[in-house]
Amino acid sequence: MVVNLRNMIYYTFYRLGKLHELRYKINLKSELLDFPDIYWDNEVLEKLYSQLKSHLDLDVRCNYCNQKLDYCRDLMDLLHQTVDATEGHRLEKIIISLIAIEVIIELLKTAL
């Protein structure tokens, strides 16, 4: 199977961006882990929100999602490193070929 390296590099960067965006939405944008401002003014609502948060195990669920996102990020990092290494090897082969061609040309010039 032939894989286009440019597409693979784009894909890894795109997916890493999506993972970071999802982590942002879970941890910072949503107010799942913090008390929303509206509940600070009303003690009954604050208590109710606290009970609901405890009952739904939101902290545990968010930590679980973060662990899964960490795993996905590690896989994407590994894929990105593999693509980088493959691209590096390809460039090394090109450089070695160019040096070999240059040496052959210089040998031919000296022989003539």
Side-chain angles (χ1 to χ4, degrees), residues 38-100:
I38 194 170
Y39 298 126
W40 288 14
D41 297 334
N42 191 333
E43 217 173 281
V44 175
L45 288 177
E46 184 177 352
K47 185 177 178 184
L48 183 63
Y49 182 79
S50 179
Q51 289 173 351
L52 181 66
K53 186 176 172 181
S54 174
H55 180 71
L56 294 176
D57 292 329
L58 290 181
D59 291 333
V60 173
R61 292 173 190 257
C62 283
N63 287 335
Y64 184 67
C65 283
N66 281 324
Q67 287 175 352
K68 283 190 167 196
L69 288 172
D70 284 339
Y71 179 72
C72 290
R73 188 191 65 220
D74 291 344
L75 284 175
M76 293 307 295
D77 283 340
L78 179 65
L79 179 61
H80 183 69
Q81 289 171 0
T82 304
V83 169
D84 278 347
T86 303
E87 181 71 8
H89 290 151
R90 187 180 73 81
L91 292 174
E92 286 175 4
K93 289 177 185 177
I94 290 171
I95 290 170
I96 290 170
S97 299
L98 289 173
I99 291 171

